Amino acid sequence: MAPRTPTSTADSARAAALEVLEAVRTRDASANLLLPRVLRDRGLSGRDAAFTTELCYGTLRGLGTYDAIIAACVDRELDAVDPVVLDALRIGAHQLLAMDVPPHAAVSTTVDLVRSVSNEGASRFANAILRRVGQGDLPAWIDRIAPNPQDDPEGFLTVSRSHPRWIVSALWDSLQAHRGAERAHKDIGDLLDADNARPGVTLVTRPGLAQVGELTELGALAGRYSPYAAYLAGGDPGALAPVREGRAGVQDEGSQLVATALATAPLEGRDEWWLDMCAGPGGKAALLAGLALERGASLLANEIAPHRAELVRRALRGYGDRLVGAEVATGAGAGIDAELGLDAGIEAELVDGEGDGGGVEVMSPGTGTLQVIAADGIRAPWQPGSFDRVMLDAPCTGLGALRRRPESRWRRGPEDLERLTRVQRRLLSSALDSVRPGGLVAYVTCSPHLEETRDVVRQVVKARRDVERVDARPLLPGVPDLGGGPDVQLWPHLHGTDAMYLALLRRS
Ligand SMILES: C[S@@+](CC[C@H](N)C(=O)[O-])C[C@H]1O[C@@H](n2cnc3c(N)ncnc32)[C@H](O)[C@@H]1O
């Protein structure tokens, strides 16, 4: 069915939120890519834009809880409710249960919204349901509809913290493996709450091009852990000159920490050529590039999807003529269209050996150069044993960055894991083949799921005789709560970062 555009009788902010929710549901849109365009098209700015953003993101994050509450208020299955009316009810529930909107306004504006996209009958239905929703506050509803936490703790968290059950279970398992059963039991609610909180904007300075002091003078706060990080209290990061000029960017502090750990890990012998094997859209590549250039080393940034490789090129633009080649070198078989995501750390659609490296020309590194190519990291166009340091930031479920992508938790399923872990293992084997004996590989995911972190590393290491594990914890100085090692797992509720995983491996 074609999307139904709310008429002008509905207020603009709520109509914009409904448009985004409908596109997320019907077209697999990403809210954080679509929303800015919708705000612009509808002329929403300032407080109206902030209100719309909260309506969209808050509703998408809380969807599991709101659906359970709405289900308790309707006398039919939710599947039988007109989907666009259900979207509007979710937006209404978010206002009633989690925002500072007077109840009568939350109900009447949502009823108007439903009338504008449907009919009089549907608006009367919405009115009745929202009045029922408004009869309790959020804790009262949770008491009423969630399973008893003693009998079914995962079921309770699923409903009360609005996460699919398989994700609650996977995050709990990972917390338990890294922090022990008692701490996991204590922390799991905080972790899920952190996924539901709006993340702040963290900036990164590109080494050699900008300093944190420049950002703090513009009102940002110096980062806690990464020497390149600064936190922005509000406003548009693109309005800051260092960001506009490509001398700084937006990047989660966890991503900065894992990239810096690879760059600073002690290495014997040559340290001249680094590889970022899955580089798109280029957040880590831009930081690694600065760190490599500082010591006269070169970086090859590879990405299978050509349009994402182009984003890597843009991320490196601040380094000017250090970037060699006028365009991204693209191989004959690399025409893979991966999902486009603009925020650093976003993972793309999986590509498993569909591409190839054929036809991509890898230049000889020279001193202090940067090159971007589009090729399949599994069938790499470079010579084995070429690199001294390799970053493998593997495509993954993204369960460690749920707070950034409000709809993503409802999109992925446990069935994705088999396909993903197969590719992750192949990429890791290729990364280990790509590094010289004595060189280092960082295996990184923005997911703490044990199957795509600990298990992938264990399986690949077990199948080879030339790999040793390196304790990564000392490479994140000053970062507390890093667990028993040798791998590092960061957590949103403990570190304020995405849940990045890092295993550091040395080829012997
Ligand atoms: C987690 S993202 C990388 C994020 C990036 N390192 C950053 O910090 O901006 C994983 C990337 O791997 C790419 N990818 C997936 N399969 C690949 C393959 N076989 N070879 C190379 N890149 C691949 C995806 O297109 C995606 O851009």
Side-chain angles (χ1 to χ4, degrees), residues 53-114:
T53 305
E54 174 54 34
L55 280 181
C56 285
Y57 288 4
T59 303
L60 286 168
R61 289 195 187 99
L63 202 96
T65 307
Y66 300 146
D67 278 7
I69 294 170
I70 294 166
C73 297
V74 298
D75 53 6
R76 53 184 111 144
E77 294 293 318
L78 283 194
D79 287 353
V81 177
D82 179 351
V84 77
V85 174
L86 182 56
D87 281 342
L89 289 174
R90 291 163 169 159
I91 292 172
H94 183 59
Q95 292 168 74
L96 284 166
L97 300 171
M99 285 178 78
D100 215 7
V101 177
H104 65 272
V107 174
S108 68
T109 52
T110 310
V111 168
D112 287 347
L113 188 61
V114 171

Side-chain angles (χ1 to χ4, degrees), residues 251 255 276-285 302-305 308 338-339 343-353 375-378 391 393-396 423 427 446:
Q251 185 178 43
S255 290
D276 186 350
M277 197 157 140
C278 291
K284 290 181 198 71
N302 174 65
E303 160 60 46
I304 195 165
R308 287 172 71 83
E339 176 192 322
D343 52 340
I346 203 163
E347 89 287 359
E349 270 312 298
L350 242 297
V351 250
D352 180 5
D376 183 349
I378 295 170
M391 165 61 71
D393 186 14
C396 69
V423 176
L427 282 165
C446 61

Side-chain angles (χ1 to χ4, degrees), residues 20-21 23-25 28-34 56-57 59-63 164 167 339 346 401-412:
V20 172
L21 255 65
V24 165
R25 176 170 49 74
D28 270 0
S30 297
N32 54 7
L33 298 183
L34 177 63
C56 285
Y57 288 4
T59 303
L60 286 168
R61 289 195 187 99
L63 202 96
I167 294 184
E339 176 192 322
I346 203 163
L402 296 180
R403 57 195 192 137
R404 286 185 200 289
R405 283 165 263 156
E407 71 282 340
S408 66
R409 70 187 73 173
W410 312 115
R411 292 233 167 112
R412 291 272 182 212

Side-chain angles (χ1 to χ4, degrees), residues 201-225:
V201 175
T202 306
L203 302 173
V204 59
T205 50
R206 313 272 192 239
L209 300 180
Q211 302 224 329
V212 167
E214 201 177 334
L215 296 175
T216 55
E217 273 169 28
L218 295 169
L221 249 153
R224 244 171 317 196
Y225 308 126

